[in-house]
Amino acid sequence: EYSKEKKVGEGTYAVVYVGTQRSTNRQIAIKEIKTSEFKDGLDMSAIREVKYLQELNHPNVISLIDIFMAYDNLNLVLEFLPSDLEVIIKDRNILFTPGDIKAWMLMTLRGIHHIHRNFVLHRDLKPNNLLLSPDGMIKIADFGLARIMPGPRETLTSNVVTRWYRAPELLFGAQHYTYAIDIWSIGIIFAELMLRIPYLPGQDDVSQMEVTFRALGTPTDKDWPEVSSFPSYNKLQIYPPPSKDEFRKRFIAAPESALDLMNGMLTMNPHKRWDSSQCLQSVYFTELPPPSNPEDMK
Amino acid sequence: YRHSSQYRFWSFTKDNLKQKRLETNSRATQKIEEDMKKFIGSQTLTNDELNITSTKAIPLTMEEELKLVNFYTQKVKVISQHLNLPTEVTATAIVFFKKFFIENSVMEFDPKELVHTTIFLACKSENYFISVDSFARKAKSSREAILKYEFTLLESLKFSLLLHHPYKPLHGFFLDIQNVLHDKVDLNHMGRIYDACRKRITESLLTDIIYHFTPPQITLAILLIEDEQLITKYLEIKFTGDENSHNIQLDKLLAIINSCKEMILSPDVVPTQDAKVIAAKNYYVQHPMVL
Amino acid sequence: EPKKRFTVDETMYNDPFIQDLQSKKEYIASGFRTDYVFDRILTEAFL
């Protein structure tokens, strides 16, 4: 039923091929999970991909078409998504209109809204996990770090999310975080779409805190109760939050509503940070220009 | 729930569940009979030996298989609890084990060999990760034995790992009862039945209700067993009268819950002796030379 | 959003198992929210 034509990528636990589904003649991607690599049997990332993709079904989440064993390897058949936002952001030949950025943000937030209402945390949102279908649809992919919201007394590891997109509560080592970490990542992606360069590129985990707080201000107990109870809080340099003008200067072309949305997503205190519903209902998405039609975008 | 893989792949009527088990059994029986023919054809057996082979080395019936599976499912529960695994991990291991033997026959896979593998995969799937080496030590098994059928298990589960168990619904109804019945609820009494219900939920997963009812229906059936008066009152207020904008017909819901309750109260407990006889028969049918 | 068959009304719940957590420092600082927990378990009850 499936052919593997070209190897297009290799990760720690999987090799990705492009192929064709015989019955529909449509292009597909096959993620072949290496089995020998993981000394504890099936790799945890593979288990998570399988576990969550089986349950999620949304136009802005990558769909799992089929899954099968072959030659002792686990194969995930996924829809073929030839590009991703990282490629687009880096390609200077592609001009972004405000409507384009709005469309990408809308689709990403719809996808994460669906993931969150199924009580799943993605935990690795970044431009190259936002794939693009041939008809311009954004699809959230790579559920290798995903997990379902834990029970109230369970602890979570804070060592998740690629550093530049990591929320401040994770930088502090929080173990009872919520969906808010995914919203932070999307806020950083929003900034990167407008700047066309990474917004908070820390060289390592410690400097990531420095870079984040220098840009957005060091949180205090006043705006984030108990933030000072994190063990790593004491060694922090205290920076003032940017003024509205200073913030606006960073994103010259952005309308006021875009800055409000970004502020909502990049709110330091996870309690006050906007959730996916608040983001989707922000003025930014209802005022002109409308989001571009994905089909018309390059 | 209808979008969940648990509903899409693993919800059956009683008839088609029985049909499924018969298919699995007949597929394995066919294979056994072919092997038996080859075995008899390749040996020069005396009449006595022929006689013994044809009377003792006969494939298991579907009912016998089910007894053996239920016996070993009980072991999965006991070993998981012995390993101090969280309740939901134990429940996942039980359900994984049962589902494996919907798709496969005990004449194809020795249930003993799947017990640790299902518990190990349940730990991984429920983010309660234990390395295979430390798991092997605790379970007094080996990494090879544990990993041997991990893929086969995943495939037999139709790759559906996310399970909805009745524990969270129990907690949810615990809350909603407080909301709907307001101060007419004795919280200490609720606390007592809460623990009893959790235990009964785990016990109930050993029956076939997981294929015929949704987790909330199982929870309500168990609450009905533990405190019929409280639950009936709650459901009446919740699902009748003008505030019943939930398009749930109370009589239909009660009928479902009561049929679930009947199944829970009639579990199929398999005496060890019976299991031993069936296991011996299963062994002989696969190793006629020993016989 | 599909219509939910319940309303989360935390003032009605006596649930120390969960409510005690919102006074723990590490929970507050992490962004832990009891309404997320209640929403999850009530959704599972009305699946």
Side-chain angles (χ1 to χ4, degrees):
Chain A
E1 172 65 345
Y2 303 108
S3 67
K4 283 178 184 168
E5 280 136 28
K6 190 172 64 150
K7 181 167 158 179
V8 290
E10 178 143 13
T12 42
Y13 75 98
V15 182
V16 183
Y17 300 88
V18 170
T20 309
Q21 181 180 31
R22 295 244 190 280
S23 55
T24 60
N25 205 30
R26 76 168 162 169
Q27 272 199 306
I28 40 109
I30 297 189
K31 199 168 194 178
E32 184 186 82
I33 313 282
K34 301 172 193 165
T35 53
S36 50
E37 311 287 302
F38 198 52
K39 71 174 185 50
D40 289 300
L42 209 54
D43 186 284
M44 276 304 286
S45 303
I47 287 194
R48 288 184 171 129
E49 287 258 51
V50 168
K51 179 172 178 181
Y52 297 114
L53 285 182
Q54 277 286 39
E55 310 301 325
L56 297 169
N57 176 9
H58 188 275
N60 297 118
V61 177
I62 189 169
S63 66
L64 178 62
I65 296 165
D66 195 357
I67 187 166
F68 61 88
M69 301 290 188
Y71 319 116
D72 228 12
N73 277 339
L74 176 63
N75 291 269
L76 307 185
V77 182
L78 300 154
E79 56 181 318
F80 173 62
L81 301 167
S83 187
D84 63 59
L85 269 197
E86 182 181 38
V87 168
I88 303 275
I89 288 170
K90 285 182 174 167
D91 182 342
R92 291 296 173 170
N93 301 322
I94 299 176
L95 281 183
F96 290 0
T97 69
D100 295 350
I101 293 177
K102 192 170 288 192
W104 288 325
M105 286 303 292
L106 183 56
M107 292 189 275
T108 304
L109 284 164
R110 282 177 175 155
I112 203 64
H113 175 70
H114 182 67
I115 293 166
H116 287 173
R117 74 176 167 184
N118 278 283
F119 308 111
V120 176
L121 298 166
H122 183 278
R123 305 201 300 185
D124 197 14
L125 291 174
K126 54 184 175 179
N128 69 352
N129 280 342
L130 299 179
L131 308 188
L132 276 158
S133 69
D135 54 358
M137 290 292 276
I138 285 268
K139 307 240 181 197
I140 298 177
D142 196 341
F143 282 75
L145 269 176
R147 74 156 287 169
I148 203 148
M149 269 293 273
R153 301 232 171 197
E154 277 181 77
T155 56
L156 290 162
T157 170
S158 59
N159 188 21
V160 289
V161 186
T162 301
R163 183 185 309 126
W164 295 350
Y165 307 91
R166 203 176 289 167
E169 60 268 32
L170 294 175
L171 296 173
F172 280 124
Q175 295 187 310
H176 307 284
Y177 50 82
T178 66
Y179 312 109
I181 63 157
D182 286 333
I183 298 296
W184 176 278
S185 303
I186 299 174
I188 300 295
I189 293 166
F190 190 17
E192 191 165 332
L193 282 170
M194 290 203 261
L195 299 170
R196 308 276 312 240
I197 53 166
Y199 184 34
L200 303 176
Q203 298 309 312
D204 54 51
D205 291 2
V206 174
S207 69
Q208 185 61 41
M209 271 186 158
E210 178 71 17
V211 166
T212 303
F213 297 145
R214 192 175 332 116
L216 297 169
T218 310
T220 63
D221 278 344
K222 192 162 135 299
D223 52 276
W224 179 351
E226 302 304 348
V227 69
S228 61
S229 67
F230 282 119
S232 50
Y233 185 81
N234 305 324
K235 306 181 224 41
L236 279 184
Q237 176 79 25
I238 302 295
Y239 294 102
S243 67
K244 209 138 170 79
D245 276 352
E246 155 60 21
F247 198 68
R248 189 175 295 111
K249 271 197 212 108
R250 291 177 195 169
F251 305 97
I252 289 289
E256 203 59 28
S257 62
L259 295 179
D260 290 346
L261 172 59
M262 193 187 296
N263 257 321
M265 301 172 90
L266 299 184
T267 300
M268 279 291 164
N269 180 353
H271 261 103
K272 294 181 194 149
R273 199 174 301 150
W274 288 12
D275 66 19
S276 55
S277 300
Q278 286 168 292
C279 294
L280 283 167
Q281 295 171 63
S282 72
V283 169
Y284 174 63
F285 291 115
T286 50
E287 74 176 14
L288 294 176
S292 307
N293 180 346
E295 313 240 337
D296 306 336
M297 293 154 78
K298 295 170 188 54
Chain B
Y1 185 65
R2 288 179 185 277
H3 292 158
S4 70
S5 59
Q6 178 168 324
Y7 177 79
R8 286 181 288 126
F9 304 144
W10 291 103
S11 120
F12 302 108
T13 63
K14 291 189 180 110
D15 289 346
N16 60 39
L17 179 61
K18 183 171 182 185
Q19 191 48 40
K20 197 116 188 78
R21 284 182 169 133
L22 284 169
E23 281 159 17
T24 299
N25 176 270
S26 68
R27 184 189 69 229
T29 299
Q30 202 177 330
K31 172 81 173 53
I32 289 278
E33 284 166 349
E34 281 160 20
D35 293 352
M36 197 53 74
K37 257 194 215 101
K38 280 185 211 137
F39 167 72
I40 290 172
S42 66
Q43 309 291 329
T44 49
L45 298 176
T46 66
N47 278 344
D48 278 5
E49 285 164 339
L50 259 179
N51 195 7
I52 282 200
T53 311
S54 55
T55 53
K56 282 221 170 222
I58 43 180
L60 302 187
T61 64
M62 184 268 275
E63 288 75 11
E64 286 172 324
E65 285 213 47
L66 189 49
K67 281 190 179 304
L68 202 55
V69 170
N70 287 342
F71 178 77
Y72 277 102
T73 309
Q74 186 72 22
K75 285 210 172 304
V76 169
K77 177 174 92 76
V78 168
I79 292 171
S80 300
Q81 289 170 336
H82 175 71
L83 290 171
N84 265 330
L85 300 181
T87 306
E88 302 227 5
V89 178
T90 299
T92 295
I94 290 169
V95 172
F96 279 1
F97 186 83
K98 289 167 67 71
K99 287 177 177 177
F100 181 85
F101 285 105
I102 294 284
E103 295 297 309
N104 303 284
S105 161
V106 297
M107 295 186 276
E108 296 164 327
F109 293 91
D110 182 342
K112 241 195 324 294
E113 297 191 3
L114 269 296
V115 167
H116 292 131
T117 307
T118 47
I119 298 172
F120 179 68
L121 184 61
C123 289
K124 277 208 252 187
S125 175
E126 297 289 348
N127 286 291
Y128 191 80
F129 183 69
I130 304 175
S131 79
V132 71
D133 291 325
S134 57
F135 185 81
R137 259 194 312 282
K138 286 185 182 163
K140 298 182 186 58
S141 176
S142 73
R143 66 190 324 273
E144 293 71 28
I146 290 165
L147 296 180
K148 181 178 176 187
Y149 292 125
E150 189 184 36
F151 262 69
T152 314
L153 171 60
L154 184 69
E155 196 172 22
S156 304
L157 290 172
K158 300 174 196 169
F159 306 99
S160 59
L161 295 173
L162 198 150
L163 299 183
H164 296 275
H165 292 307
Y167 304 100
K168 285 189 182 61
L170 174 66
H171 197 156
F173 284 122
F174 193 84
L175 297 171
D176 202 48
I177 287 170
Q178 294 179 54
N179 204 349
V180 170
L181 297 185
H182 297 304
D183 43 15
K184 290 190 222 70
V185 184
D186 165 2
L187 287 174
N188 293 329
H189 169 68
M190 291 278 292
R192 276 193 303 279
I193 60 170
Y194 184 80
D195 295 335
C197 286
R198 277 178 70 84
K199 284 189 187 60
R200 207 182 269 275
I201 286 173
T202 306
E203 281 309 312
S204 73
L205 299 178
L206 300 167
T207 69
D208 279 349
I209 57 172
I210 56 170
Y211 304 116
H212 305 318
F213 300 97
T214 67
Q217 289 163 354
I218 295 170
T219 303
L220 288 172
I222 285 174
L223 279 164
L224 200 62
I225 294 170
E226 290 301 327
D227 191 329
E228 176 144 6
Q229 191 195 357
L230 173 74
I231 290 308
T232 313
K233 193 177 12 166
Y234 162 66
L235 291 174
E236 267 159 19
I237 296 174
K238 180 87 181 170
F239 295 120
T240 49
D242 55 347
E243 70 130 349
N244 176 20
S245 60
H246 312 291
N247 62 55
I248 291 236
Q249 293 109 27
L250 179 60
D251 50 338
K252 188 175 176 187
L253 178 61
L254 285 174
I256 291 173
I257 296 172
N258 275 295
S259 65
C260 180
K261 174 183 159 191
E262 295 319 312
M263 273 189 94
I264 291 170
L265 294 176
S266 48
D268 168 25
V269 181
V270 183
T272 306
Q273 193 41 41
D274 290 11
K276 278 196 172 126
V277 168
I278 298 170
K281 187 174 173 188
N282 190 23
Y283 182 75
Y284 287 142
V285 84
Q286 297 180 57
H287 307 83
M289 184 51 95
V290 172
L291 185 68
Chain C
E1 284 290 5
K3 181 157 174 23
K4 298 202 166 186
R5 291 180 178 139
F6 60 86
T7 46
V8 179
D9 182 350
E10 298 197 41
T11 59
M12 297 303 295
Y13 307 142
N14 175 305
D15 190 333
F17 179 77
I18 291 175
Q19 283 153 336
D20 291 355
L21 298 177
Q22 51 191 353
S23 54
K24 289 176 180 267
K25 286 184 190 303
E26 72 272 21
Y27 279 80
I28 299 168
S30 297
F32 174 81
R33 286 175 46 170
T34 48
D35 57 324
Y36 282 168
V37 179
F38 290 135
D39 181 52
R40 170 93 192 282
I41 47 185
L42 281 157
T43 302
E44 288 279 342
F46 291 94
L47 268 180

